[in-house]
């Protein structure tokens, strides 16, 4: 087994808050403060423009060429006087173009990215002088400082193991905003068969059998697909106490696919597959095929997104099949009354940061500008756009106008939101829970969000960072291991390999280095807990 120790140098970061700025907009104007940037340049002039590199979300790319066209960003620029020149990598080439960019000598002023994906992590990016940590600039960022002071766990998530603040994070302020995916089922089929939404694995089996045998789509053919889920899907593997990934119990890292509970999960999936309950093509069904099967009135249940799933399919089917209804279901458990532990839930600090790069020659003023987005006014603008155009205040609460909810362009609501606001995507600001409630407009979506939020998450791994010296070895182990594991999972479920060989499979994973990978994860978790 791989074991080694490291001497970790911990740095105590000391900074003095010189006083909150009287208004956040004044903070953006420069205020006469002076500082020295990475090139030794005094920074006492107001920020006039900056270059900003960020991925253009696919829904946004469908209706615009740049975030500079978004109503919210136009308002931010008008209110601050700062011109933001957006640069977007080609669709589908985010990682490759990020790596090419950081390898160059000149970078944009701000790069919005998951900086821990930098080779060796964000700490290595700081050491390479590609990224400027915020610690020494927090006196110029009173809004973000206040949020991090009030939420220490957010600060941990936004920091490296050495305590350096990576950049300006995208923050989801409420737990319901952090769920986006979960088990869903055809409520109209359940009603037709006089069945309730299943909660336990046994209840799921009963419902799926009924879907298979009782013709809920009413076409007289045995063409129903009771459930369509990918192999190793967390929503069902988690019911057996072992997700298809790393997790922790009392700060001890474990790997789900080698635990006994995972064998039980595989046995259940194998039973469902043999009985025709699990889609026979589950291993090869892609997004396009999934769309065809669901809109073809074949699929009884699956795992899907709130907006790209429940909302999308109900909109697509509302004319051709008015009774079509999909609802969320709780993450399943083995026993009735248990609270599920595992589920798809993002962290409040998502891991995407607007990082100030080493090429930025006006760091202080850039910090002030980005900090404005965390102010009440900045948050309102990023989440709701322009008052009187994309939202209005009703009893003091922002409400989207028809320009967004019933747009004249006939755009899908997801694209209409992207056209006007940033609240539905990401960026250096706090996502407003009032946005989320209006974005998920259907009652089925809102109820699903509540149900999917009902997991304890007590065994969830926090956003750890693999040490730079381990990253190459860890990546090599997991690449080979995942290829082997995924192949074996398919064979176990489809029955081409017997589960009597599960112990041999575990030994093979050990031979591929899973114990070493667990140790690397454990050391990363220990460092995270010590931040």
């Amino acid at each position: 087994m791989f074991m080694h120790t490291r001497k970790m140098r911990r740095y105590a970061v000391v900074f003095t808050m010189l006083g909150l700025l009287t208004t956040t907009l004044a903070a953006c104007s420069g205020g006469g403060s002076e500082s020295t940037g990475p090139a030794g340049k005094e920074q006492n002039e107001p920020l006039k423009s900056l270059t900003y590199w960020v991925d253009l979300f696919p829904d946004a790319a469908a209706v615009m060429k740049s975030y500079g066209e978004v109503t919210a960003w136009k308002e931010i620029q008008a209110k601050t006087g700062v011109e933001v020149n957006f640069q977007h990598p080609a669709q589908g080439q985010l990682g490759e173009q990020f790596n090419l960019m950081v390898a160059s000598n000149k970078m944009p002023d701000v790069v919005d990215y998951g900086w821990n994906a930098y080779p060796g992590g964000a700490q290595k990016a700081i050491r390479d002088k590609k990224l400027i940590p915020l610690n020494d600039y927090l006196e110029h960022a009173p809004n973000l400082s206040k949020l991090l002071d009030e939420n220490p766990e957010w600060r941990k998530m936004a920091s490296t193991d050495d305590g350096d603040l990576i950049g300006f994070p995208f923050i989801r302020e409420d737990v319901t905003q952090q769920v986006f995916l979960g088990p869903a089922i055809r409520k109209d089929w359940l009603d037709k068969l006089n069945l309730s939404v299943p909660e336990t694995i046994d209840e799921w089996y009963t419902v799926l059998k009924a879907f298979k045998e009782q013709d809920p789509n009413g076409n007289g053919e045995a063409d129903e697909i009771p459930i369509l889920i990918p192999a190793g899907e967390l929503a069902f593997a988690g019911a057996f106490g072992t997700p298809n990934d790393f997790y922790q119990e009392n700060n001890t890292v474990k790997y789900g696919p080698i635990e006994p509970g995972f064998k039980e999960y595989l046995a259940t999936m194998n039973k469902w597959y043999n009985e025709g309950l699990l889609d026979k093509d589950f291993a090869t069904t892609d997004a396009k095929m999934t769309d065809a099967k669901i809109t073809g009135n074949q699929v009884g249940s699956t795992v899907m997104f709130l907006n790209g799933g429940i909302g999308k399919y109900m909109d697509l089917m509302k004319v051709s099949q008015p009774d079509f209804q999909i609802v969320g279901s709780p993450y399943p458990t083995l026993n009735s009354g248990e609270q599920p532990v595992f589920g798809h839930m993002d962290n409040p600090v998502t891991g995407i940061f607007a990082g100030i790069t080493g090429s930025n020659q006006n760091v202080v003023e850039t910090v002030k500008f980005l900090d404005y987005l965390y102010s009440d006014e900045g948050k309102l603008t990023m989440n709701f756009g322009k008052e009187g155009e994309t939202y209005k205040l009703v009893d003091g609460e922002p409400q989207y106008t028809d320009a967004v909810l019933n747009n004249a362009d006939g755009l899908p609501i997801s694209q209409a939101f992207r056209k006007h606001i940033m609240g539905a995507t990401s960026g250096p600001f706090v996502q407003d829970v009032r946005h989320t409630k209006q974005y998920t407009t259907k009652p089925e979506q809102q109820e699903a969000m509540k149900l999917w939020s009902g997991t304890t998450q007590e065994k969830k791994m926090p956003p750890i960072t693999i040490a730079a010296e381990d990253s190459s070895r860890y990546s090599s182990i997991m690449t080979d291991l995942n290829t082997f594991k995924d192949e074996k999972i398919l064979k176990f479920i489809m029955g081409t390999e017997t589960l009597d060989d599960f112990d041999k499979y575990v030994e093979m994973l050990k031979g591929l280095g899973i114990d070493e990978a667990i140790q690397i994860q454990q050391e990363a978790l220990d460092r995270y807990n010590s931040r």
Side-chain angles (χ1 to χ4, degrees):
M1 172 185 280
F2 167 78
M3 293 289 290
H4 70 273
T5 60
R6 299 184 184 85
K7 294 181 179 179
M8 295 296 298
R9 296 197 310 164
R10 313 295 301 176
Y11 298 94
V13 180
V14 180
F15 60 88
T16 303
M17 296 298 292
L18 297 180
L20 295 177
L21 299 175
T22 56
T23 66
T24 54
L25 191 54
C28 287
S29 69
S33 60
E34 296 185 2
S35 181
T36 302
K41 177 183 176 182
E42 280 197 350
Q43 302 174 11
N44 56 0
E45 297 180 358
L47 185 65
K48 295 180 180 179
S49 67
L50 58 81
T51 50
Y52 192 117
W53 190 95
V54 60
D55 189 31
L56 188 62
F57 199 82
D59 270 346
V63 294
M64 68 185 72
K65 294 182 179 179
S66 168
Y67 278 144
E69 301 174 43
V70 176
T71 301
W73 272 116
K74 289 179 181 178
E75 275 293 280
I76 292 296
Q77 293 178 79
K79 289 178 177 180
T80 62
V82 176
E83 180 184 359
V84 182
N85 298 304
F86 287 98
Q87 300 175 7
H88 302 296
Q91 291 287 297
Q93 298 181 30
L94 177 64
E96 296 91 329
Q97 294 200 15
F98 173 81
N99 290 333
L100 288 173
M101 178 181 58
V102 297
S104 67
N105 291 325
K106 176 66 176 176
M107 295 174 66
D109 296 316
V110 177
V111 170
D112 202 314
Y113 189 70
W115 276 94
N116 276 315
Y118 182 93
Q123 195 66 60
K124 182 66 163 52
I126 292 170
R127 289 203 294 267
D128 291 345
K129 300 188 184 306
K130 299 294 184 180
L131 180 64
I132 297 175
L134 298 183
N135 303 62
D136 294 339
Y137 298 93
L138 284 176
E139 66 184 89
H140 306 291
N143 296 299
L144 179 62
S145 295
K146 183 174 184 291
L147 284 171
L148 298 182
D149 288 345
E150 292 174 348
N151 300 275
E153 195 64 24
W154 293 3
R155 182 183 293 272
K156 286 175 66 173
M157 292 179 178
S159 302
T160 68
D161 290 331
D162 286 349
D164 287 327
L165 284 170
I166 297 168
F168 289 86
F170 178 57
I171 300 173
R172 296 189 174 110
E173 63 183 354
D174 185 81
V175 66
T176 58
Q177 297 170 299
Q178 296 156 29
V179 298
F180 51 88
L181 181 72
I185 194 163
R186 286 285 296 275
K187 180 66 163 54
D188 53 320
W189 285 17
L190 291 173
D191 291 344
K192 183 175 181 180
L193 303 180
N194 197 28
L195 295 168
S196 301
V197 174
E199 297 183 3
T200 68
I201 291 295
D202 287 343
E203 290 172 0
W204 269 95
Y205 178 72
T206 298
V207 165
L208 297 179
K209 288 281 285 184
F211 282 179
K212 178 69 176 176
E213 298 169 355
Q214 298 182 35
D215 191 29
N217 67 9
N219 65 358
E221 300 180 19
D223 61 347
E224 286 86 358
I225 299 170
I227 190 165
L228 192 166
I229 51 173
E233 164 54 47
L234 172 66
F236 286 84
F240 298 87
T242 53
N244 186 20
D245 205 346
F246 294 95
Y247 65 104
Q248 57 87 21
E249 285 185 346
N250 300 318
N251 294 319
T252 297
V253 175
K254 296 187 175 184
Y255 185 61
I258 65 174
E259 295 294 325
F262 201 75
K263 181 179 180 181
E264 296 177 39
Y265 157 75
L266 293 173
T268 297
M269 292 298 106
N270 173 248
K271 178 181 178 179
W272 289 6
Y273 182 83
N274 289 337
E275 295 186 16
L277 309 182
L278 175 62
D279 183 15
K280 61 181 175 53
D281 299 319
F282 78 95
T284 57
T285 295
D286 58 17
K288 187 175 181 180
M289 293 170 65
T290 297
D291 284 348
K293 291 177 180 180
I294 292 177
T295 58
N297 201 24
Q298 290 181 281
V299 177
S301 58
T302 185
V303 176
M304 64 172 57
F305 292 99
L306 279 169
N307 295 303
I310 293 177
K312 168 186 172 181
Y313 293 119
M314 288 187 65
D315 282 344
L316 287 172
M317 302 298 286
K318 65 183 178 182
V319 175
S320 63
Q321 193 176 336
D323 293 336
F324 183 97
Q325 186 181 21
I326 301 177
V327 298
S329 62
Y331 281 91
T333 57
L334 288 183
N335 302 307
S336 181
E338 289 180 342
Q339 184 177 5
V341 174
F342 297 99
H344 293 279
M345 184 175 287
D346 209 346
N347 295 304
V349 175
T350 65
I352 306 298
F353 299 90
I356 298 177
T357 72
S359 297
N360 190 307
Q361 295 296 304
N362 209 348
V363 176
V364 169
E365 301 306 322
T366 302
V367 168
K368 292 177 181 179
F369 170 74
L370 293 174
D371 185 65
Y372 167 68
L373 303 180
Y374 296 87
S375 69
D376 290 342
E377 186 175 74
K379 176 183 176 182
L380 187 66
T381 303
M382 293 297 273
N383 281 277
F384 293 94
K386 183 176 182 179
E387 185 176 3
E389 181 178 325
T390 59
Y391 79 94
K392 58 183 178 181
L393 293 176
V394 179
D395 297 328
E397 294 296 315
Q399 300 288 328
Y400 290 114
T401 65
D402 283 347
V404 178
L405 299 177
N406 298 291
N407 65 92
D409 297 326
L411 296 174
I413 194 167
S414 60
Q415 292 180 6
F417 270 98
R418 303 287 190 264
K419 185 176 179 179
H420 294 294
I421 66 163
M422 294 302 295
T425 51
S426 64
F429 65 98
V430 178
Q431 187 183 54
D432 196 313
V433 70
R434 296 170 298 181
H435 151 75
T436 307
K437 290 178 179 178
Q438 293 180 66
Y439 184 45
T440 51
T441 56
K442 293 178 172 57
E444 292 87 353
Q445 293 173 299
Q446 294 173 6
E447 181 61 26
M449 194 159 47
K450 293 177 184 176
L451 287 173
W452 297 345
S453 301
T455 55
T456 70
Q457 296 293 321
E458 62 190 34
K459 298 182 181 182
K460 178 182 173 67
M461 287 289 287
I464 62 170
T465 303
I466 301 300
E469 59 266 31
D470 290 330
S471 61
S472 178
R473 173 61 179 159
Y474 179 80
S475 177
S476 175
I477 291 172
M478 295 309 298
T479 297
D480 293 341
L481 189 143
N482 282 327
T483 299
F484 174 78
K485 179 210 50 161
D486 291 344
E487 179 183 326
K488 285 291 188 181
I489 286 176
L490 293 180
K491 290 181 176 180
F492 286 140
I493 291 176
M494 299 171 75
T496 56
E497 188 160 336
T498 175
L499 277 165
D500 292 340
D501 291 335
F502 185 81
D503 290 344
K504 294 180 182 177
Y505 146 84
V506 172
E507 288 304 313
M508 287 293 292
L509 292 182
K510 289 180 179 292
L512 290 170
I514 187 56
D515 289 332
E516 185 176 349
I518 290 173
Q519 180 63 24
I520 291 172
Q521 286 261 343
Q522 183 67 58
E523 293 175 357
L525 177 62
D526 293 342
R527 290 194 302 273
Y528 177 87
N529 289 335
S530 297
R531 287 180 183 175

